[in-house]
Amino acid sequence: MRTVVKGLALACHPGPTVAVTALVTAVAWSTGRSPAGCLLVAATILTGHLSIGWSNDAIDAARDTIVNRRDKPVVRGLVSRRTLAVGAGVMLVITVPVSLANGFAAGLVHLGFVACAWAYNLGLKSTVISWLPYAVAFGGLPSFVTLGTARVWAPWWATAAGALLGIGAHLANVVPDLADDLATGVRGWPQRLGRYARLVAPLPLAAATALLVIAPAGAIGVVGWVALAVVAALLVVILLWRNAPFLVTIAIAAVSIVSLVLRGHALV
């Protein structure tokens, strides 16, 4: 039993699951959501992501086995494909009422996020528009927060920044696995970019940061200028240092996320 629990924990893609859950909850808090409301937001994002992560590993089990992905719990024998599929289905059912508890419109937006992710898992990941589910899903997350907090849609700049963050997240998530993906016939947008994907990945993240700092009404402020300067410096590092660690791109993503949280008050 302990082995299965460990397998389920690893198969949910814990890094992205924890990061997105924490980010959206932090944005909800920054918009004035109550503690109970923040807990509901966390539960919503978590159940949705569990269904996404487990379905991803269940669908990709055969492909991961072919390339001997030892980082995958199915390949290591910690959990079965069937268990992951059942878990994904259960979480998909649970996330529906949990999502709608945030309000009907907010719930539909989050369920749209989940639908985009499942569509990616079920086949869009191998197409030239593999970036689209990420853009649509992440672009909707600010409105999920604002519709649940103040019953208003998020401003355009938050939606655009969310979409750019999603595209950047797609690239950042795929780049480390490019070789394995190509070996098993996955030909999404990042795989078609090949070695250039590493250079392209920071660009949508940097653009998202710029939008979040510049577009909202009011002065940019010291923190905003610092964020822009840090992102500009990191882009120069990537441009000049051909073998720059991919952590530099992750650092740009971190600046974007902090900027979104700090701008939470301007969303509603």
Side-chain angles (χ1 to χ4, degrees):
M1 182 63 181
R2 184 179 301 177
T3 300
V4 174
V5 172
K6 180 180 179 181
L8 287 170
L10 293 174
C12 78
H13 299 212
T17 295
V18 171
V20 175
T21 300
L23 165 64
V24 180
T25 303
V27 173
W29 169 80
S30 70
T31 62
R33 197 80 178 261
S34 67
C38 288
L39 286 175
L40 178 59
V41 167
T44 303
I45 302 300
L46 180 60
T47 54
H49 255 71
L50 288 176
S51 80
I52 294 164
W54 289 339
S55 67
N56 180 272
D57 273 26
I59 293 167
D60 289 349
R63 185 183 297 119
D64 292 335
T65 301
I66 290 173
V67 294
N68 195 30
R69 286 283 301 273
R70 299 303 297 174
D71 59 318
K72 293 293 186 179
V74 173
V75 178
R76 290 165 56 187
L78 298 176
V79 66
S80 69
R81 182 178 185 178
R82 176 181 173 79
T83 299
L84 289 178
V86 171
V90 170
M91 283 300 144
L92 183 61
V93 171
I94 291 175
T95 203
V96 173
V98 175
S99 297
L100 295 175
N102 291 272
F104 186 73
L108 288 183
V109 169
H110 179 257
L111 293 176
F113 174 100
V114 175
C116 284
W118 272 74
Y120 175 85
N121 290 343
L122 289 170
L124 284 182
K125 67 183 298 179
S126 296
T127 71
V128 72
I129 60 168
S130 60
W131 56 272
L132 185 59
Y134 274 83
V136 174
F138 279 81
L141 280 180
S143 286
F144 162 68
V145 172
T146 59
L147 286 168
T149 302
R151 304 297 187 268
V152 295
W153 291 92
W156 69 269
W157 51 264
T159 301
L164 289 167
L165 281 172
I167 295 171
H170 174 39
L171 288 163
N173 185 53
V174 171
V175 163
D177 303 323
L178 279 176
D180 287 342
D181 287 342
L182 289 172
T184 55
V186 177
R187 293 281 295 170
W189 179 49
Q191 291 83 8
R192 294 166 195 254
L193 288 175
R195 61 191 180 91
Y196 295 108
R198 192 180 189 91
L199 296 175
V200 174
L203 300 181
L205 299 172
T209 303
L211 262 180
L212 292 168
V213 170
I214 297 171
I220 293 178
V222 175
V223 174
W225 285 115
V226 169
L228 292 176
V230 169
V231 167
L234 292 174
L235 286 175
V236 171
V237 169
I238 292 172
L239 180 64
L240 298 180
W241 185 8
R242 292 184 62 185
N243 296 317
F246 199 61
L247 285 176
V248 178
T249 297
I250 302 303
I252 296 178
V255 175
S256 300
I257 290 169
V258 171
S259 299
L260 179 57
V261 173
L262 293 177
R263 285 298 191 179
H265 65 279
L267 291 177
V268 294

